Amino acid sequence: MSATTTSPNTDNATMDAILRKYEPVIGLEVHCQLLTGSKIFCGCSTKFGAPPNAHTCPVCLGMPGALPVLNRTAVEMAVKASMAINCTINSKSIFARKNYFYPDLPKGYQISQFDQPIAEHGWILLHGGGAEEGNAKKIGITRLHMEEDAGKSIHDGFADSYQRTYVDLNRSGTPLAEIVSEPDIRTPEEAYEYLTRLKQILLYVGVSDCNMEEGSLRCDANVSIRPIGQKEFGTKVEVKNLNSFRFLQKSLEYEIERQAQVLDSGGKVAQETRLWNTSQNRTESMRSKEQAHDYRYFPEPDLLPLIVSEKWQAEIRGGIPELPDAKRVRFMSDYGLSEYDADVLTGTQSLADYFERAAKGAPDAKLAANWVMGELLGALNSAGLELTASPVSAERLGELVKLIHDGTISGKMAKDVFAKMFSTGKTAQNVVEESGLKQITDDGAILDVIKRVIAGNPNQLGQYRSGKTALFGYFVGQVMKETKGQANPAKVNDLLKAELEKS
Ligand code: ADP
Ligand code: ZN
Ligand code: MG
């Protein structure tokens, strides 16, 4: 994944007009499934895709008397994620019961954290899509707290017209981290980038697979607008369960437009929860403030306060790899890359590693970067392959770049060589030798061809010598043709000029 963002903006003119009048204010609440093998309070598997209710036990089925036992790995992952987004870890946090009724919540409450979450006061940097230099913006993170997921209701209609609902509790008790942002986001594009950066960081630290289709990453968006210049925030609307980046951006665009229309016509925005209707491309009211839940949170009596000691924190911190922001800066200074290139190449840990391994063998890191971002990603994309399945290893791409750099092959030939490496899995050296694609750099060999060409074109030679120097290009063309494009162009130029000037 590249972290670079693109926006599927629908109607720029309408949005521009709104943004001249109103400023949107956006805060995101992101649920991320932690990548533990077992659930947060029991030993059941978290593996996705099992038959319904295969991964359940008395604890995650909510049987009376069953007691939760906190999963240590889930805590470590939550702390890791918190540190990676610059949060302060609370050495003591409290689990709380969030009470509500729903068929997929057998206990009648969800174990979450409330007023004492595991981490607070972090931030994430936005880089404006990475396309412009030095314009980072800090988005505050209010908190990260741990909680268990609920089960899943599956609604199904049948030919007999009865609507049935099934409950699958495999997901019940899966560990989640909920990450709440400050209302610091100002545009749908920024919201898109915030989620992109957050996902990138979570993938780097390896605490979640962030698979949106499987629900490992879910997002609720809070959005309000205020007249430009007004200090107080407007009334916010919460759009729930956005399960793709595109839906996040589109629903925000829709909401901003809808709220602007309400205010423009003298109305008031109602505080409510809305849902994104994917087939109608609009948000729809789900419940109003009056119907809002009162969860009656209270401390979970079956779990002790969670203590994360300084020592444990230090251990966890030691396991955090170099993060995208630091890597991007290092790529710029170590390899002389532009911010844009550094941003693309640090998009994922595996792409960054690939580039560094390729650059190691290559004398020219920028050239290596161009080859990774251009030919390699292009070829993988058209072949529908992941980087990990690349037929050309980083080391071998580095060797190819070396051959270009030392003039063994031209950049143009290298494209053919790369294509053969990609389709056959052979090394650059092998491909070059087998197909005789080697660039001719030997002066004597080039001079032989030049002499032959000159001897074979007495007319053009006469014209050239009587002042029609534009014919130089003609001679170059003939030499390249004779050598099947393999002669080093710079050498051809020098040697040919000297030869033609001889009288
Ligand atoms: P609630 O109590 O309704 O859950 P919170 O204060 O906990 O509200 O905020 C939830 C999310 O809404 C946070 O991400 C926060 O940044 C965002 N938010 C709060 N106020 C506004 C507002 N006026 N406009 C847009 N987003 C807001
Ligand atoms: Zn269980
Ligand atoms: Mg809240």
Side-chain angles (χ1 to χ4, degrees):
M1 174 206 72
S2 158
T4 307
T5 57
T6 47
S7 56
N9 231 337
T10 40
D11 185 352
N12 283 315
T14 316
M15 187 53 80
D16 286 350
I18 292 170
L19 295 184
R20 276 194 293 277
K21 203 168 164 193
Y22 298 106
E23 181 183 48
V25 170
I26 299 164
L28 300 187
E29 295 167 281
V30 176
H31 284 91
C32 131
Q33 187 177 317
L34 298 171
L35 210 52
T36 55
S38 56
K39 295 185 180 181
I40 186 169
F41 299 123
C42 63
C44 292
S45 167
T46 54
K47 206 166 155 57
F48 184 84
N53 300 304
H55 298 319
T56 53
C57 74
V59 174
C60 57
L61 289 174
M63 300 289 190
L67 288 174
V69 178
L70 181 57
N71 180 337
R72 188 180 170 89
T73 308
V75 176
E76 284 172 350
M77 287 183 168
V79 171
K80 221 173 186 180
S82 303
M83 287 174 169
I85 53 176
N86 308 295
C87 284
T88 305
I89 308 301
N90 291 327
S91 51
K92 177 181 168 185
S93 62
I94 303 287
F95 284 98
R97 288 189 182 178
K98 179 178 179 178
N99 298 281
Y100 65 97
F101 172 79
Y102 205 73
D104 62 19
L105 188 74
K107 293 197 297 290
Y109 59 85
Q110 176 192 25
I111 304 180
S112 180
Q113 293 186 314
F114 184 49
D115 49 5
Q116 286 177 265
I118 193 161
E120 291 170 283
H121 313 305
W123 75 85
I124 284 180
L125 291 179
L126 305 188
H127 298 268
E132 295 147 47
E133 311 267 332
N135 58 347
K137 173 178 173 179
K138 225 179 221 189
I139 305 296
I141 308 279
T142 314
R143 56 193 268 139
L144 180 151
H145 67 254
M146 301 181 69
E147 61 187 27
E148 60 177 340
D149 207 346
K152 224 184 221 165
S153 300
I154 299 148
H155 308 285
D156 212 343
F158 278 84
D160 60 11
S161 88
Y162 278 106
Q163 181 75 38
R164 292 176 175 85
T165 293
Y166 301 86
V167 176
D168 177 4
L169 294 172
N170 281 344
R171 210 180 60 183
S172 163
T174 296
L176 301 177
E178 177 172 347
I179 300 159
V180 182
S181 90
E182 290 288 302
D184 291 345
I185 299 165
R186 290 294 171 268
T187 62
E189 290 77 20
E190 279 186 9
Y192 190 104
E193 193 191 348
Y194 170 86
L195 192 60
T196 305
R197 298 285 174 198
L198 177 58
K199 176 176 167 181
Q200 183 188 25
I201 293 167
L202 294 171
L203 285 173
Y204 260 70
V205 290
V207 300
S208 176
D209 62 20
C210 294
N211 187 329
M212 281 190 121
E213 289 85 55
E214 293 180 5
S216 309
L217 193 72
R218 283 167 263 163
C219 179
D220 303 336
N222 298 270
V223 52
S224 63
I225 60 172
R226 58 181 169 186
I228 284 178
Q230 178 181 303
K231 259 191 119 55
E232 304 78 47
F233 288 158
T235 304
K236 79 171 156 80
V237 160
E238 182 180 17
V239 187
K240 274 213 164 300
N241 292 332
L242 297 161
N243 60 2
S244 89
F245 282 79
R246 216 166 57 88
F247 294 159
L248 167 65
Q249 182 158 358
K250 288 184 88 171
S251 67
L252 286 172
E253 284 166 358
Y254 180 88
E255 260 313 297
I256 290 164
E257 217 175 304
R258 186 187 69 81
Q259 293 181 20
Q261 272 169 19
V262 170
L263 294 187
D264 280 346
S265 61
K268 272 189 181 163
V269 174
Q271 185 174 339
E272 60 184 352
T273 302
R274 298 176 73 90
L275 288 175
W276 177 246
N277 182 325
T278 51
S279 53
Q280 303 288 322
N281 276 323
R282 63 172 187 230
T283 65
E284 287 165 354
S285 184
M286 179 179 132
R287 60 171 179 254
S288 70
K289 178 97 198 286
E290 286 71 43
Q291 302 158 278
H293 284 129
D294 177 359
Y295 293 114
R296 297 178 186 279
Y297 280 96
F298 65 85
E300 165 61 64
D302 292 336
L303 287 165
L304 290 168
L306 170 59
I307 308 293
V308 185
S309 68
E310 294 286 333
K311 183 164 165 282
W312 196 13
Q313 286 184 43
E315 270 170 40
I316 296 169
R317 198 177 286 282
I320 293 181
E322 182 182 34
L323 295 173
D325 282 337
K327 213 184 263 298
R328 184 184 308 109
V329 170
R330 184 169 65 77
F331 275 21
M332 287 159 70
S333 64
D334 280 11
Y335 301 111
L337 302 182
S338 69
E339 181 169 358
Y340 180 82
D341 289 356
D343 194 43
V344 173
L345 291 172
T346 54
T348 64
Q349 181 101 54
S350 60
L351 182 60
D353 289 348
Y354 186 101
F355 162 71
E356 290 210 274
R357 276 187 284 126
K360 209 176 205 170
D364 184 341
K366 264 180 153 163
L367 193 57
N370 288 341
W371 275 83
V372 172
M373 291 188 297
E375 298 296 311
L376 177 78
L377 290 185
L380 288 172
N381 193 32
S382 10
L385 289 176
E386 293 288 332
L387 181 62
T388 46
S390 173
V392 178
S393 70
E395 289 71 20
R396 288 188 172 181
L397 188 69
E399 286 164 19
L400 176 68
V401 172
K402 196 159 174 232
L403 293 182
I404 305 166
H405 185 81
D406 67 19
T408 308
I409 53 173
S410 69
K412 202 157 159 265
M413 287 182 221
K415 298 209 170 180
D416 295 332
V417 175
F418 177 82
K420 287 214 178 73
M421 290 168 73
F422 198 87
S423 60
T424 64
K426 288 183 177 160
T427 66
Q429 200 69 46
N430 274 343
V431 173
V432 167
E433 273 159 17
E434 273 176 26
S435 48
L437 272 173
K438 227 176 177 129
Q439 178 159 276
I440 305 167
T441 52
D442 174 52
D443 284 11
I446 295 175
L447 205 55
D448 282 350
V449 178
I450 287 175
K451 284 184 174 152
R452 234 184 302 140
V453 165
I454 290 178
N457 293 277
N459 275 345
Q460 284 81 352
L461 180 65
Q463 289 176 33
Y464 180 88
R465 289 197 170 150
S466 58
K468 213 171 162 200
T469 51
L471 277 169
F472 186 71
Y474 168 78
F475 283 103
V476 172
Q478 293 303 305
V479 173
M480 294 313 277
K481 200 168 149 194
E482 282 277 310
T483 58
K484 299 196 186 69
Q486 283 166 244
N488 178 305
K491 289 206 166 162
V492 169
N493 264 285
D494 292 350
L495 295 171
L496 183 62
K497 187 147 254 162
E499 210 49 34
L500 288 170
E501 305 293 296
K502 272 188 196 159
S503 48

